[in-house]
Amino acid sequence: QRAEQTSLLDSQRRAPATFTGDPRTPVQATPQQPPAAATVPATSPPMQQPMQPPKPPPTWQPQRPVQLVRAPGPAGVPTGVGVHFEKGGENMPYRLFDFNPGKAAANAKAQNMLFENEWLHAVNGQPVYALTSPQVRDLILGEPNSMVVLTVSPPSA
């Protein structure tokens, strides 16, 4: 009887009892073993690289503001400045091209204030790098005859 008690005490010392389900039913816990070292077979596919955060846009110098007056039109109907643009790439500015004749952008081009292929960085101070084309368009459009500021840099920058 004494040997039975000793073996019972020894087993209780080795692994404390844990309870699951009915608290009156003890269950022996299994001792934790360290995880086995992972081995990678030579034929396994290459591991994917972790996702990198997006790179900040490069420093585009020199940038300059160009103030333009939006086209005339009926009150409450947004108008623009007559410039077309396209995305230069992810986290990049937009490239300006094709100025509509008779509009503010074409007039600015004629006065050597705006040039085709220049980079558009901001509209009224809001950066456009992460914006979609419709979002940039909505920033440029506004109340007729109101001012809009395009921040641009030369195409070589």
Side-chain angles (χ1 to χ4, degrees):
Q1 185 179 23
R2 187 157 212 211
E4 290 175 17
Q5 287 177 345
T6 304
S7 67
L8 179 61
L9 289 174
D10 288 342
S11 67
Q12 288 175 343
R13 279 190 207 124
R14 276 186 254 129
T18 57
F19 297 94
T20 58
D22 185 358
R24 294 172 288 167
T25 309
V27 177
Q28 290 290 38
T30 55
Q32 292 286 337
Q33 293 188 4
T39 57
V40 179
T43 58
S44 67
M47 293 182 61
Q48 291 183 355
Q49 294 294 326
M51 291 203 41
Q52 299 293 324
K55 293 180 182 176
T59 304
W60 299 87
Q61 296 296 334
Q63 293 183 16
R64 68 183 190 292
V66 178
Q67 294 184 355
L68 301 172
V69 177
R70 292 179 177 108
V77 177
T79 61
V81 294
V83 65
H84 296 262
F85 51 87
E86 67 182 359
K87 187 71 168 164
E90 187 177 345
N91 284 327
M92 295 274 295
Y94 282 80
R95 185 179 69 87
L96 300 177
F97 69 96
D98 194 27
F99 303 107
N100 292 347
K103 302 290 182 179
N107 295 340
K109 180 182 175 187
Q111 297 171 17
N112 292 323
M113 293 172 48
L114 266 185
F115 302 93
E116 289 200 34
N117 296 316
E118 282 195 298
W119 295 111
L120 174 64
H121 299 276
V123 177
N124 289 331
Q126 182 173 341
V128 299
Y129 306 115
L131 300 180
T132 64
S133 294
Q135 290 171 320
V136 173
R137 180 198 62 225
D138 290 345
L139 289 176
I140 294 173
L141 294 176
E143 200 58 37
N145 298 311
S146 64
M147 185 76 61
V148 63
V149 178
L150 306 181
T151 303
V152 298
S153 69
S156 60

